[in-house]
Amino acid sequence: TCCSYRLRDALHPLWQSPLSIPGGTRQSPIDIQWRDSIFDPYLRPLKISYDPDTCLHIWNNGYSFLVEFEDSMDKSIIMGGPLENQYRLKQFHFHWGAINEWGSEHTIDSRVYPAELHLVHWNAVKYESFEEAVMEGNGLAVIGVFLKLGAYHEGLQKLVDALPAVKHKDEIVEFDTFDPSCLLPSCPDYWTYAGSLTTPPLTESVTWIIKKKAIEVDENQLEAFRMLLFTSPGEEEKRMVDNFRPLQPLMNRTVRSSFQ
Ligand SMILES: NS(=O)(=O)c1ccc(C(=O)NCc2c(F)c(F)c(F)c(F)c2F)cc1
Ligand SMILES: [Zn+2]
């Protein structure tokens, strides 16, 4: 029931979120029940074109580590799929667990993955800035990609090698060219639903696009995420792990699939 989720949400150690979330009818993450998702033949293929030269820096913001992109022009964009407009890439980041048994935010038929990548885009056709778009129902589009334990991931390694430089909260390091499309699975299949940011302010502004296929990364690469810290230099060290929000109720929402 709604009060239990609010209580569960408010009690979760990581998110000092307010007891009641404004609106609270389209919160994320959710468990995606494959059999309840509806194939929508009108969903178009997702068109993704990222310019590696728009990559700016990688930084530890005390919740996750994020790679930020130059978003003053339409250089790294996505369109199509469930989207009415073109959205600009702002940043990508990850959520992961202390061990491989958990870590993702979304789940598929209750299956949890060790980590989840979020590529965050904003509707630059309708809004002037990311800050403005964050407050609007159609303001953001986030692509979610599950990470599973398996083969070494060549493309991810460049990120992993930069992590020691951003071990502590607020550390930042310049990151030259990086093309995040190397982190996407080749399979075009996805689910999509209307949701929210999974960290405060939890605004209900996200069109979620969750890729059906996971990418494989190896144990050493996952362990590299876990050596990051939530804490600033000089503070008592707290390992950056379990930075995922608990599952939220589906309420009156349908999850659509781009595949049969
Ligand atoms: N896990 S996720 O759902 O993909 C997610 C994506 C982006 C953000 C974010 O940008 N937060 C900082 C942030 C805000 F939360 C704002 F409300 C705002 F206006 C910002 F400019 C801003 F950077 C938080 C969660
Ligand atoms: Zn996220």
Side-chain angles (χ1 to χ4, degrees):
T1 63
C2 72
C3 55
S4 65
Y5 103 83
R6 284 205 179 112
L7 196 58
R8 174 155 48 90
D9 203 56
L11 292 180
H12 190 269
L14 202 54
W15 309 131
Q16 311 312 323
S17 56
L19 194 57
S20 70
I21 283 105
T25 59
R26 49 174 281 193
Q27 289 291 295
S28 295
I30 59 169
D31 176 46
I32 294 172
Q33 301 269 323
W34 196 315
R35 71 184 68 74
D36 295 345
S37 63
I38 311 251
F39 168 60
D40 180 348
Y42 295 102
L43 280 174
R44 284 150 299 152
L46 196 56
K47 289 203 279 287
I48 298 173
S49 73
Y50 294 147
D51 174 351
D53 293 337
T54 55
C55 188
L56 290 171
H57 49 251
I58 180 170
W59 71 297
N60 177 331
N61 71 350
Y63 276 127
S64 180
F65 69 92
L66 30 151
V67 179
E68 291 215 288
F69 289 78
E70 214 286 323
D71 64 347
S72 61
M73 291 169 59
D74 284 336
K75 285 194 170 179
S76 290
I77 50 133
I78 60 169
M79 56 201 280
L83 306 173
E84 315 243 309
N85 302 126
Q86 191 171 272
Y87 286 64
R88 263 184 218 163
L89 177 66
K90 167 83 177 161
Q91 52 107 324
F92 68 81
H93 62 274
F94 297 80
H95 303 262
W96 62 90
I99 60 173
N100 298 336
E101 309 325 301
W102 61 73
S104 63
E105 297 213 297
H106 292 87
T107 56
I108 306 297
D109 292 334
S110 302
R111 175 184 179 176
V112 187
Y113 288 85
E116 185 174 333
L117 160 65
H118 288 159
L119 293 140
V120 182
H121 312 76
W122 59 280
N123 187 337
V125 169
K126 290 273 173 53
Y127 308 113
E128 302 286 299
S129 69
F130 176 75
E131 287 73 13
E132 184 190 341
V134 169
M135 310 313 283
E136 303 293 335
N138 62 350
L140 303 182
V142 181
I143 298 176
V145 181
F146 296 114
L147 276 64
K148 72 179 189 183
L149 192 61
Y152 171 80
H153 194 296
E154 185 78 39
L156 186 73
Q157 194 55 35
K158 186 172 177 190
L159 270 179
V160 166
D161 291 338
L163 294 185
V166 291
K167 186 181 174 80
H168 299 93
K169 181 171 185 273
D170 296 333
E171 288 179 335
I172 184 165
V173 75
E174 195 187 314
F175 209 53
D176 46 21
T177 57
F178 184 82
D179 180 356
S181 28
C182 77
L183 300 175
L184 295 169
S186 48
C187 177
D189 296 348
Y190 62 85
W191 288 280
T192 183
Y193 78 96
S196 73
L197 296 182
T198 64
T199 61
L202 304 170
T203 42
E204 298 183 331
S205 55
V206 181
T207 299
W208 280 97
I209 297 165
I210 305 291
K211 301 294 284 184
K212 183 183 84 175
K213 287 284 187 204
I215 59 168
E216 290 189 24
V217 300
D218 75 10
E219 179 62 36
N220 294 329
Q221 294 179 310
L222 279 173
E223 274 305 319
F225 288 14
R226 300 176 183 131
M227 50 66 89
L228 293 170
L229 301 176
F230 282 127
T231 44
S232 304
E235 285 178 356
E236 184 207 347
E237 298 204 345
K238 287 197 186 73
R239 287 190 315 141
M240 183 180 275
V241 292
D242 301 334
N243 55 358
F244 55 87
R245 189 190 188 193
L247 290 173
Q248 301 299 310
L250 184 61
M251 299 183 111
N252 180 28
R253 289 181 284 182
T254 303
V255 178
R256 291 180 289 160
S257 66
S258 70
F259 59 95
Q260 280 186 318

